[in-house]
Amino acid sequence: MRRHVLWLAAWLLTGCLQLDLPAGEAGRGETVSGRVVGVADGDTLTVLDDTLHEHKVRLAYIDAPEKAQAFGDVAKWRLSALVYGRAVRAEVIETDRYGRAVARIWQDDQDINLVLVREGMAWHYRQFTRGQSDAEFAQYQDAETGARATHAGLWQGRRPQAPWDYRHNRRNKG
């Protein structure tokens, strides 16, 4: 019970008052453990560790639809349903150009990144698979192939547009 009260107090401070706590500096090969206190979109979340440092995390090896795209809101909702308010472990692969940790997210023994691909909430982001073993690569590819075959999630659409193509087209328009 006491842990719940401490977590709730931390959540209220960081979520409601929007205090600028220093972001965690998780680097390659590190593991960040904590509770998910925010989900920005289908492949980005915030983990609050035990020292009350927030870590902005981009899910590795996947790319979910942008918020303005078809299934963007659904992908965000699904990620929230899987991890929001729950304890997770983020295995950091690298830090991206925005200073976010790029990581595989584990909730208990479940690879959340892989779950999102399997359920058709994200693509396997083959262009950014540095650090992914051959076995993991095959597992993510098989998950995407299965989601496509069963028309799961975003694969229900006639011709779903990959998020990287969507971003490229938006940049070129304006």
Side-chain angles (χ1 to χ4, degrees), residues 13-161:
L13 284 173
T14 58
C16 295
L17 297 178
Q18 293 299 309
L19 292 178
D20 287 329
L21 294 175
E25 299 294 328
R28 173 183 233 131
E30 291 186 39
T31 298
V32 174
S33 296
R35 292 216 178 267
V36 175
V37 295
V39 175
D41 56 32
D43 54 26
T44 309
L45 51 79
T46 303
V47 175
L48 183 69
D49 69 20
D50 290 340
T51 65
L52 302 183
H53 283 117
E54 288 188 348
H55 302 266
K56 194 79 138 165
V57 180
R58 167 75 165 81
L59 277 64
Y61 313 134
I62 72 170
D63 201 4
E66 297 293 324
K67 287 187 240 182
Q69 278 187 274
F71 279 91
D73 288 337
V74 176
K76 177 183 177 181
W77 173 85
R78 183 60 182 138
L79 179 57
S80 294
L82 287 167
V83 299
Y84 186 77
R86 296 196 172 117
V88 298
R89 185 177 79 251
E91 293 177 353
V92 180
I93 311 301
E94 63 185 346
T95 302
D96 71 9
R97 64 183 176 186
Y98 304 108
R100 299 176 298 189
V102 178
R104 282 178 77 182
I105 301 297
W106 295 89
Q107 205 262 325
D108 294 325
D109 290 328
Q110 190 171 28
D111 178 350
I112 298 299
N113 307 33
L114 181 61
V115 168
L116 293 171
V117 174
R118 186 177 294 132
E119 293 182 359
M121 296 295 129
W123 277 257
H124 179 212
Y125 204 0
R126 292 181 300 276
Q127 297 92 313
F128 291 95
T129 56
R130 182 179 40 228
Q132 192 173 34
S133 72
D134 290 343
E136 290 168 350
F137 185 93
Q139 195 176 23
Y140 277 64
Q141 277 301 111
D142 290 347
E144 183 178 310
T145 300
R148 285 177 185 247
T150 60
H151 305 286
L154 64 90
W155 302 110
Q156 294 173 35
R158 182 174 289 162
R159 290 178 48 208
Q161 184 179 32

